[in-house]
Amino acid sequence: MSQDTGLEPHESDGSAAAARRDHRPARRRFPTHLIVFLLPAVAVYTMFMVYPLLDSMRLSMFGDVDGVRAFVGLDNFVRLLTDDLLSALFWNAVVQNLLFFAVHFFVQNPIGLLLATLLASPTLRGRATYRTMIFIPTTLSVVIVGFIWQLILSPLWGIVETPLLGRSSTALVTLAMMSVWQYVGIPMILFYAVIISIPEDLIEAARVDGASGWNIFWRIKFPLLLPTVGMVSVVTYVANMNAFDLIYTVKGALAGPDFSTDIMGTLFFRTFFGFQLQRGSSTMGATVATMMFLVILAGILLYFFGWHRRVQTYEL
Amino acid sequence: MSSTVTDATTAPEGTAARPVRRGSGPTLRTRAGRIGPHVVLLAYTAVACVPILLVVMNSFKSRSAIFSSPFSMPTPESFSLAGYETVFARARFELYFFNSFTVTIVSVFLVLLFGAMAAFALAEYDFRGNALLGLYLAIGIMIPIRLGTVSILQLLVGMNLINSLFGLILVYTAMGLPLAVLVLTLFFRQVPKELKEAARVDGASEYWVFRMVIPLVRPGLAAIAVFSMLPIWNDLWFPLILAPGEHVRTVTLGAQLFLGQFVSDWNAVLAVLTLAMLPMMALYIIFSKQFMQGLTSGAIK
């Protein structure tokens, strides 16, 4: 993210150091050590991350023609977006995935902010204990979280009477809330780190000028927190847009009832591996994955141009 | 939610004690200011922990006690290990734990080693294409590796690494590297120049210089270890697709399959959940101070 500053440290130490570096004999020999340092990371990363991503995009332009894999151009995308059955499922998944994210955005951020602000209050005792306890759910596996809540929300156990996970009107929001329950610790910790880094004299000066605690929060702390809100949101967006584990654990690959909890991750899985009577297809799976990539990319670009550039970052 | 029952009883007790001890000094307003945060934090702590406690507690109870009194601790009458007996009779969880530990530890080690080496090179030498290479490696932070699953599966089939822990390790190493390289580059840039130059004047090789500065970026390494460990241990997607075989099954996948199969056996379900979450939770609580330090120092970068 901050890679644009790539060479700065070398420039900042002045021309003398740069000149000294240029005169080192090691510079003139073949830089074996450079290759040794860089090769393992670059090789593993390229082979298992970059190549599969690019190859998936390539595969999305292939299809089975008379049982033989052949180049079909954008046919798969056209089918995915216009075919009666497929496009209904696809848009259903996209819309529900956005809803899944919206719940995170509107619930996770305020709760995280509230908890972080309270944790940072200067006279608070037991801060470390609160922080540790509230963060525990974040360390759990999504599978565990899914089942814990499935048990607690089960009408069989009788703690909650309404089958929140069984009704198509409430299932997705309930799942999103389960996910918020798990991950709220992350915004809390990040917001907390920002709040405690705000210099005390800044707050003190405002207090001397007669600002109330409320004003100090909204006028001083909140603007300083906005860049972090944006960062947390975009990371959550990316994570939500390729979420799968929770829905699969609680609702299975069919994302029931009646696809009401289907999101792109589960659609991708079903398209790739097949389910019930529909046969799986790796090229169609790659097409769904490529569409997921585009949706994620759109979100990231929206963040960079719509938020990151407008929100002012202050140097403290 | 269920938890409000418990925090309603604990919150006032925990906080009311303090103002009394302090005497009549503080005004009502400052007293409220002092109690307020505790009430909210205690309430949320209950929301976070009661569901977990409920599962752990009930895993040690008999089936009838689970349903008749879910909120009470196990008593000598209601105590039962039936769930754990089923789990160990029907699934090889000790093997799943071994697999999960192997995959997580080796992957995190490789992420740290390869990540530190690349980050050192990017921070230390200005060669042509340095910034570009840094950008290339950083792209993976934002783009989820899952989107390449179709090709990863084909690749591992071709390499005969399906149902192999090594296959999972390679994928997780690739997944963890982008963030590791970016964060560690920032840490390596802070290492004082004089130290490295002095070693070089003494004739140290570049590899020796690297070894020498590694301890100086230890906070960065800790942060990355923390960041990359949990997603690997907790992942369901790749074990499900790349290594579903019994002998390479991880805890997360093992729990998922077991839970799907025994969904109506509440004792067994509660026991598996407890077994699957306790090791990571214990580790987290023991190292929570280091964990939080690593998380915040990594996040601020």
Side-chain angles (χ1 to χ4, degrees), chain B:
Chain B
M1 241 169 282
S2 59
S3 44
T4 42
V5 180
T6 22
D7 60 57
T9 51
T10 52
E13 278 167 18
T15 45
R18 195 166 302 136
V20 175
R21 223 188 301 131
R22 300 208 166 204
S24 55
T27 64
L28 198 68
R29 203 188 149 86
T30 56
R31 218 188 284 176
R34 216 170 267 151
I35 300 169
H38 282 287
V39 174
V40 179
L41 286 170
L42 271 176
Y44 198 84
T45 305
V47 170
C49 295
V50 167
I52 298 170
L53 205 66
L54 215 54
V55 167
V56 175
M57 224 163 64
N58 283 293
S59 75
F60 294 103
K61 297 203 296 207
S62 67
R63 189 177 164 83
S64 61
I66 292 173
F67 285 99
S68 60
S69 50
F71 292 108
S72 59
M73 292 290 281
T75 58
E77 296 88 63
S78 65
F79 183 80
S80 159
L81 290 175
Y84 292 91
E85 284 158 15
T86 318
V87 172
F88 281 106
R90 299 297 178 84
R92 299 169 63 193
F93 265 87
E94 64 291 343
L95 174 70
Y96 305 163
F97 272 114
F98 173 78
N99 291 336
S100 273
F101 273 115
T102 312
V103 168
T104 308
I105 290 170
V106 177
S107 305
V108 170
F109 175 77
L110 290 179
V111 166
L112 291 179
L113 179 68
F114 295 170
M117 284 160 60
F120 178 76
L122 289 175
E124 186 62 19
Y125 312 115
D126 44 351
F127 53 91
R128 208 179 306 140
N130 180 317
L132 203 65
L133 189 63
L135 189 66
Y136 172 71
L137 288 166
I139 291 172
I141 297 175
M142 277 305 196
I143 298 168
I145 191 168
R146 282 181 184 185
L147 301 183
T149 305
V150 175
S151 302
I152 291 178
L153 183 62
Q154 290 185 353
L155 188 68
L156 290 187
V157 168
M159 295 168 82
N160 213 1
L161 284 177
I162 290 299
N163 274 334
S164 113
L165 295 180
F166 187 58
L168 280 181
I169 289 169
L170 285 172
V171 173
Y172 288 139
T173 307
M175 182 173 94
L177 275 172
L179 191 69
V181 172
L182 179 71
V183 172
L184 291 175
T185 306
L186 299 170
F187 273 93
F188 274 120
R189 289 219 177 106
Q190 289 174 344
V191 174
K193 287 240 157 5
E194 295 72 22
L195 207 68
K196 291 174 282 192
E197 292 303 327
R200 285 191 182 112
V201 169
D202 289 345
S205 72
E206 291 303 311
Y207 308 110
W208 188 258
V209 175
F210 173 68
R211 254 195 65 181
M212 191 186 71
V213 295
I214 276 288
L216 301 177
V217 295
R218 208 180 286 150
L221 294 173
I224 290 304
V226 164
F227 265 133
S228 41
M229 192 170 64
L230 285 172
I232 297 175
W233 177 275
N234 289 334
D235 187 39
L236 175 67
W237 177 264
F238 284 117
L240 180 69
I241 291 169
L242 304 177
E246 163 91 21
H247 64 292
V248 286
R249 204 167 284 170
T250 60
V251 174
T252 307
L253 180 61
Q256 207 274 335
L257 291 174
F258 185 90
L259 289 168
Q261 212 177 339
F262 287 79
V263 77
S264 54
D265 185 343
W266 282 57
N267 290 83
V269 166
L270 291 164
V272 165
L273 289 174
T274 307
L275 274 177
M277 66 186 171
L278 280 189
M280 268 292 142
M281 245 167 64
L283 216 65
Y284 160 71
I285 291 173
I286 295 167
F287 293 105
S288 67
K289 203 174 149 214
Q290 289 82 349
F291 186 91
M292 287 299 166
Q293 273 169 359
L295 207 62
T296 37
S297 74
I300 287 169
K301 297 277 171 201

Side-chain angles (χ1 to χ4, degrees), chain A residues 1-3 5-7 9-10 13 20-21 24 27 32-34 36-38 40-42 44-53 55-56 59 69 111 114-115 118-119 121 124-125 130-137 139-141 143-144 147-149 151-152 154 156-157 159 181 184 189-190 193 234 238 242-245 248-249 265 268-269 272-273 282 285-286 289 292-293 296 300, chain B residues 1-2 18 22 37-38 40-42 44-45 47-49 51-52 54-55 58 66-67 70-71 114 117-118 120-121 123-127 133-137 139-140 142-156 159 170 174 177-178 182 189 193 197 206-207 210 230 234-237 240-241 252 256 259 266 269-270 273 276-277 281 284-285 288 291-292 295-296 299:
Chain A
M1 274 171 277
S2 58
Q3 276 304 309
T5 59
L7 289 171
H10 304 309
D13 60 33
R20 184 160 14 104
R21 195 186 301 276
R24 236 178 31 232
R27 280 283 297 178
T32 321
H33 59 276
L34 201 59
V36 171
F37 282 135
L38 288 169
V42 173
V44 174
Y45 172 72
T46 306
M47 191 158 171
F48 292 96
M49 187 142 186
V50 178
Y51 163 74
L53 282 169
D55 190 54
S56 279
L59 273 175
R69 182 168 289 181
I111 297 183
L114 174 71
L115 294 174
L118 293 176
L119 274 181
S121 45
L124 187 79
R125 289 195 193 181
Y130 283 130
R131 210 173 45 178
T132 306
M133 306 275 279
I134 293 175
F135 203 79
I136 285 179
T139 65
L140 301 178
S141 144
V143 172
I144 308 284
F147 266 95
I148 289 182
W149 282 103
L151 290 187
I152 292 175
S154 162
L156 265 181
W157 210 357
I159 298 172
W181 174 81
V184 80
I189 295 293
L190 297 181
V234 75
V238 175
N242 77 107
F244 164 82
D245 299 20
Y248 182 75
T249 299
F268 174 32
F269 185 83
F272 183 17
F273 290 102
S282 53
M292 287 168 77
F293 172 75
I296 288 173
I300 294 174
Chain B
M1 241 169 282
S2 59
R18 195 166 302 136
R22 300 208 166 204
H38 282 287
V40 179
L41 286 170
L42 271 176
Y44 198 84
T45 305
V47 170
C49 295
I52 298 170
L54 215 54
V55 167
N58 283 293
I66 292 173
F67 285 99
F71 292 108
F114 295 170
M117 284 160 60
F120 178 76
E124 186 62 19
Y125 312 115
D126 44 351
F127 53 91
L133 189 63
L135 189 66
Y136 172 71
L137 288 166
I139 291 172
M142 277 305 196
I143 298 168
I145 191 168
R146 282 181 184 185
L147 301 183
T149 305
V150 175
S151 302
I152 291 178
L153 183 62
Q154 290 185 353
L155 188 68
L156 290 187
M159 295 168 82
L170 285 172
L177 275 172
L182 179 71
R189 289 219 177 106
K193 287 240 157 5
E197 292 303 327
E206 291 303 311
Y207 308 110
F210 173 68
L230 285 172
N234 289 334
D235 187 39
L236 175 67
W237 177 264
L240 180 69
I241 291 169
T252 307
Q256 207 274 335
L259 289 168
W266 282 57
V269 166
L270 291 164
L273 289 174
M277 66 186 171
M281 245 167 64
Y284 160 71
I285 291 173
S288 67
F291 186 91
M292 287 299 166
L295 207 62
T296 37

Side-chain angles (χ1 to χ4, degrees), chain A residues 43-116:
Chain A
V44 174
Y45 172 72
T46 306
M47 191 158 171
F48 292 96
M49 187 142 186
V50 178
Y51 163 74
L53 282 169
L54 295 176
D55 190 54
S56 279
M57 289 181 200
R58 187 187 65 85
L59 273 175
S60 70
M61 288 187 264
F62 282 78
D64 284 338
V65 181
D66 304 327
V68 185
R69 182 168 289 181
F71 184 79
V72 294
L74 294 175
D75 275 9
N76 290 336
F77 292 93
V78 174
R79 257 185 70 205
L80 185 65
L81 297 175
T82 58
D83 182 277
D84 281 349
L85 200 75
L86 271 177
S87 72
L89 276 176
F90 176 73
W91 289 114
N92 174 55
V94 172
V95 169
Q96 272 165 176
N97 216 329
L98 290 172
L99 181 65
F100 191 68
F101 167 69
V103 172
H104 280 82
F105 183 83
F106 287 110
V107 179
Q108 189 173 269
N109 281 325
I111 297 183
L113 201 55
L114 174 71
L115 294 174

Side-chain angles (χ1 to χ4, degrees), chain A residues 263-278:
Chain A
I263 58 172
M264 288 195 285
T266 40
L267 179 69
F268 174 32
F269 185 83
R270 282 201 317 272
T271 318
F272 183 17
F273 290 102
F275 68 104
Q276 292 180 344
L277 295 174
Q278 188 190 320

Side-chain angles (χ1 to χ4, degrees), chain A residues 216-233:
Chain A
I216 289 175
F217 178 79
W218 287 110
R219 298 286 174 79
I220 299 178
K221 292 180 182 169
F222 190 68
L224 290 169
L225 279 163
L226 268 182
T228 312
V229 173
M231 194 192 81
V232 169
S233 302

